Amino acid sequence: MNHAPDFDSRVAAALANPTLKVAIERTTGTARTKRAAAMAAWPEFPAARALGRDIKDHVIENLAHYLVAFEKNADAAGTKVHWARTGEEACQIVVDICRKAGAKSVTRAKSMLGEEIGLPHALEAAGLERVETDLAEHIIQLAGDPPSHIVWPALHKTREQVAELFRAHHRDPGAMATVEAMVASARRQLREKFMAADVGISGANFLVADTGAVCTVTNEGNAELTTTPPRIHIVTAGIEKLVPSTAHAMAMLRLLVRSATGAELTQYTTFHNGPKRAQDRDGPDEFHIVLVDAGRTRMLNEGLAEMLRCIRCGACLNHCVVYRQIGGHAYGATYPGPMGSVLTPMLDGLEQAQDLPRACTLNGQCQEVCPVAIPLPTLLRGWREKSWQRGFEPARVRWALALWRFTAMRPRLYEFAGNIGLRIMPLFAHGGWISRMPLAGGWTAHRDMPSPSGGTFLAQYRRRFKK
Amino acid sequence: MNDARSEILKAIGKVSANPTAIAAQAQRLRAGACRPDRVNGPADAVFIERLRSPGVAATAERVATMQDFPDAVRRYLAAQQLTPALALQPHPDLQALDWSGISTHEHIATDEPVAVGLALGGIAETGSLVFHSSPVSPTLFCFLPLHHIVAVRASQIWPWLEDYADAFAGCAQPRNVNLITGASGTTDIEGTLVRGAHGPGWLHAVLIGNAE
């Protein structure tokens, strides 16, 4: 999706944006602090994470079994189950249901799968009024931006920017002096929209195989206000979202919520099961679930089964040194950060997304915080290898690596080259830091480089070895 | 879309031969020892403590019997300086109580200031209130009001999330199960927590009686 051709220029623009880094740091910093506190209070986390991994692996191992069981149980609850091979097919199913019902307006609770398959665009192209009800999605809908984080899609906006947007678009914006006032304004703005919509669309955090229920988690309560009043509720869900039972969903919820926000549980954890029952006073007349493949069976068969464990908590984004510098938009894809850099080459094609697996320092933080122990650095290295084999690296990268390889295999030559650098670099340093140096503009444009000290690694090694 | 179904199942490939073995394996994958050590006292006491914890940030009190619930509601309305008018969840156990001095109605408005409800039960581990949608428990009663005052029987508190799940495993499921853990909130603007995003801004739980 919306993958602009030039990753480097998007990164350059992000690094040059003076407010972006502040905005990213405000939200991800809080998320890291809260997650760390939640984990400190949960010494059993390593065992819980191993269990989460095993539950997901068990489901992926028996995916056909659980899909068929889910379909049978959902059907028994009165749910209409649809299957879609591709994102386009899924969007078409959703649009057809809306058309058949004569729908004019649609409310939507945040769903990353919906973003992935381009559902917002498909709804608008079909002439439906689309109302995003998650506060962050509401903000980016007004701004015309794509999401920049999978948990906080409007993380790139500062409070000042949000106030400006609401003043321009809300009926009754009020003073806008505080974040509280902004939230209250959005509440007023969306209230009637919830009640007036013909169709409500949500995603799924989990699909419970043995009941046929769809589990969603939110903190705002917008999901339930999206799915309860309209005549029709449509869920779009990836086929990897299954868990065997409600009890298994609970084990996954402990991991998901603590990893995402540091809370013990979201304010609203809801299991949706079929349409309105006889005598019920509210709830939809029709309940549809669209089970979407869109590359997941390919992941299963092409060495990325471990990535199907992902529960979209966003912890890997919050802890990624690259994401924290460049933000979500620079990735040019629905899913940013480490998990996105693994997913996007599969979803958009490796040639198109080849830069993403390279935009990683392989420091392993993402794998450390992942609640289902996905070996993200290993999967990213796998994409790099494929990219190399398929010859996607530009000639200058291949040439530079060949030169480095030649030198690295000759220790004396390597040390000689290192010594040249050691002599030259301090000439550009002021107070131990280099802020400008020929050939290093790519680094020094956005940060200083420490001046080298203490001799080459080999020299230091020899010195210590002699002691 | 039957083509899509068969193609997806075919692409997954592996046909699961033995549902019994799969079920047995799933049974082994249940959380036990790796749960955070939280429920280390009587479930109803832990529940009330979790409700009041900073993470959940609800208010909670305990009264002796269901008949004392309307008084708790009156005290809450007075303390919050609210008009004594509210949407009463159409549950017979609530309707049977003496609400004199308060004007009650059964229909919930889009901007309802106060709603009073009865939860099916609670979960001690997380301080969650459990609602099952039904004719006497419409879903919107939990989401439209600004203040939500909820009665919950102390005898209906499950210690862990799994205990709740197990209590209804194999039963017919309600249309909606809502686990409600504190008032509505959002951190979507600069990570700052603000209460009362779209759902209630205040949640007050009233525990009825003692566990046994």
Side-chain angles (χ1 to χ4, degrees), chain A residues 138 142 159-178 181-182 185-186 188-189:
Chain A
H138 173 63
L142 294 181
R159 66 177 74 193
E160 294 81 5
Q161 292 170 318
V162 173
E164 203 173 300
L165 272 173
F166 284 5
R167 250 183 243 118
H169 294 277
H170 281 183
R171 243 183 0 255
D172 176 20
M176 290 290 152
T178 60
M182 295 172 207
S185 177
R188 284 191 298 273
Q189 180 76 12

Side-chain angles (χ1 to χ4, degrees), chain A residues 23-24 27 110 134-141 143 145-159 161-162 165 323 329, chain B residues 187-191:
Chain A
I24 297 169
T27 301
K110 177 169 109 47
D134 173 75
L135 180 62
E137 291 279 344
H138 173 63
I139 293 168
I140 62 173
Q141 184 178 25
D145 287 349
S148 65
H149 189 287
I150 62 173
V151 176
W152 293 278
L155 155 156
H156 58 285
K157 291 278 185 227
T158 60
R159 66 177 74 193
Q161 292 170 318
V162 173
L165 272 173
Y323 179 89
H329 289 156
Chain B
T187 54
D188 276 349
I189 302 175
E190 292 187 352

Side-chain angles (χ1 to χ4, degrees), chain A residues 105-123:
Chain A
S105 70
V106 172
T107 44
R108 230 183 123 238
K110 177 169 109 47
S111 149
M112 285 314 298
L113 177 81
E115 301 290 336
E116 176 194 322
I117 63 177
L119 188 55
H121 175 75
L123 293 169

Side-chain angles (χ1 to χ4, degrees), chain B residues 144-199:
Chain B
L144 287 176
L146 196 56
H147 293 260
H148 194 202
I149 309 170
V150 181
V152 55
R153 291 190 174 90
S155 58
Q156 290 290 318
I157 308 299
W158 293 280
W160 297 93
L161 288 163
E162 283 87 352
D163 296 322
Y164 159 74
D166 291 344
F168 295 93
C171 303
Q173 300 292 310
R175 183 187 67 76
N176 253 20
V177 173
N178 298 115
L179 309 185
I180 295 180
T181 313
S184 156
T186 181
T187 54
D188 276 349
I189 302 175
E190 292 187 352
T192 310
L193 175 67
V194 177
R195 291 286 175 179
H198 293 298

Side-chain angles (χ1 to χ4, degrees), chain A residues 411-427:
Chain A
R412 279 168 197 280
L413 179 62
Y414 194 90
E415 194 173 15
F416 176 72
N419 272 319
I420 293 177
L422 273 178
R423 301 258 161 92
I424 293 176
M425 287 171 71
L427 301 178

Side-chain angles (χ1 to χ4, degrees), chain A residues 26 65 71 85 133 152 159 187 191 219-220 248 254 264 267 269-271 273 277 281-282 301, chain B residues 5 7 16 26 50 106 125 144 162 173 175 177-179 181 184-188 190 198-199:
Chain A
R26 281 178 185 168
H65 166 82
E71 181 189 38
R85 283 163 289 203
T133 64
W152 293 278
R159 66 177 74 193
R187 183 184 172 105
R191 211 86 191 139
N219 290 319
E220 298 177 7
H248 293 95
R254 279 190 197 101
E264 284 154 23
Q267 276 94 323
T269 307
T270 294
F271 294 85
N273 204 340
R277 307 287 164 81
R281 298 187 187 210
D282 53 23
N301 297 319
Chain B
R5 182 185 189 277
E7 261 185 52
S16 10
R50 300 307 309 157
E106 263 194 29
E125 177 190 353
L144 287 176
E162 283 87 352
Q173 300 292 310
R175 183 187 67 76
V177 173
N178 298 115
L179 309 185
T181 313
S184 156
T186 181
T187 54
D188 276 349
E190 292 187 352
H198 293 298

Side-chain angles (χ1 to χ4, degrees), chain A residues 7-21 24 323 325-331 446:
Chain A
F7 177 69
D8 289 347
S9 61
R10 288 197 307 270
V11 168
L15 291 173
N17 181 333
T19 56
L20 182 62
K21 214 179 142 188
I24 297 169
Y323 179 89
Q325 296 294 324
I326 65 175
H329 289 156
Y331 291 84
H446 303 291

Side-chain angles (χ1 to χ4, degrees), chain A residues 68-252:
Chain A
V68 171
F70 174 82
E71 181 189 38
K72 179 174 142 260
N73 293 318
D75 183 69
T79 303
K80 178 89 180 78
V81 179
H82 310 258
W83 300 70
R85 283 163 289 203
T86 62
E88 296 78 48
E89 216 166 75
C91 289
Q92 194 57 50
I93 293 169
V94 173
V95 167
D96 285 347
I97 296 168
C98 294
R99 284 221 174 103
K100 203 174 147 209
K104 291 192 176 61
S105 70
V106 172
T107 44
R108 230 183 123 238
K110 177 169 109 47
S111 149
M112 285 314 298
L113 177 81
E115 301 290 336
E116 176 194 322
I117 63 177
L119 188 55
H121 175 75
L123 293 169
E124 278 178 2
L128 291 150
E129 185 201 9
R130 170 176 67 95
V131 180
E132 297 293 339
T133 64
D134 173 75
L135 180 62
E137 291 279 344
H138 173 63
I139 293 168
I140 62 173
Q141 184 178 25
L142 294 181
D145 287 349
S148 65
H149 189 287
I150 62 173
V151 176
W152 293 278
L155 155 156
H156 58 285
K157 291 278 185 227
T158 60
R159 66 177 74 193
E160 294 81 5
Q161 292 170 318
V162 173
E164 203 173 300
L165 272 173
F166 284 5
R167 250 183 243 118
H169 294 277
H170 281 183
R171 243 183 0 255
D172 176 20
M176 290 290 152
T178 60
V179 175
E180 283 80 1
M182 295 172 207
V183 174
S185 177
R187 183 184 172 105
R188 284 191 298 273
Q189 180 76 12
L190 291 171
R191 211 86 191 139
E192 295 303 327
K193 300 279 186 192
F194 281 124
M195 305 310 284
D198 300 304
V199 177
I201 301 179
S202 73
N205 289 94
F206 302 103
L207 302 172
V208 184
D210 76 346
T211 62
V214 174
C215 175
T216 59
V217 301
T218 76
N219 290 319
E220 298 177 7
N222 65 303
E224 293 73 13
L225 288 172
T226 298
T227 62
T228 312
R231 286 180 284 138
I232 297 171
H233 174 195
I234 309 174
V235 175
T236 55
I239 54 173
E240 84 285 10
K241 291 283 177 192
L242 283 156
V243 289
S245 73
T246 311
H248 293 95
M250 299 303 189
M252 299 310 298

